[in-house]
Amino acid sequence: MFGIGSTELLLILVVALIVLGPRNLPKIANTLGKAMGQFQRASRDFQRSINTEIAFEEEQEKKKAEQKQAETAQASEKVENKEETKA
């Protein structure tokens, strides 16, 4: 968890208990937990929207490539038809 070992976490908790006091510590922990949950939800939503945009862009590029390939095929068919008519 964030690269913090068990001894560092224990030390942080002891210092927080001394500084904040036993009455305020549960309230602060609750508030901190809610804030972390909101941050995680926001980051998941952001990641989801980024992935959606990437998928949309890839789909657009795929459609453009298919259109270009179809245009190239049509152009080559026209050239072949002109050559056949001349011959």
Side-chain angles (χ1 to χ4, degrees):
M1 182 170 94
F2 303 116
I4 298 175
S6 59
T7 55
E8 289 96 358
L9 186 60
L10 182 62
L11 181 64
I12 291 170
L13 290 174
V14 168
V15 170
L17 183 62
I18 292 170
V19 171
L20 301 173
R23 290 185 183 174
N24 293 334
L25 192 60
K27 293 176 189 175
I28 292 172
N30 187 18
T31 304
L32 184 62
K34 286 181 182 179
M36 291 288 288
Q38 288 176 348
F39 178 75
Q40 287 176 348
R41 278 190 296 278
S43 64
R44 272 193 307 260
D45 289 343
F46 180 73
Q47 185 67 38
R48 195 175 301 129
S49 66
I50 293 294
N51 289 340
T52 302
E53 288 295 321
I54 289 172
F56 179 74
E57 289 293 325
E58 288 175 351
E59 187 66 29
Q60 292 294 332
E61 289 177 8
K62 188 177 181 181
K63 285 181 182 179
K64 285 181 183 179
E66 289 173 355
Q67 285 179 345
K68 193 172 187 179
Q69 187 178 17
E71 289 172 357
T72 305
Q74 286 178 347
S76 65
E77 285 179 13
K78 287 181 182 178
V79 169
E80 288 175 6
N81 288 339
K82 286 183 181 179
E83 289 176 359
E84 288 177 2
T85 344
K86 287 182 182 179

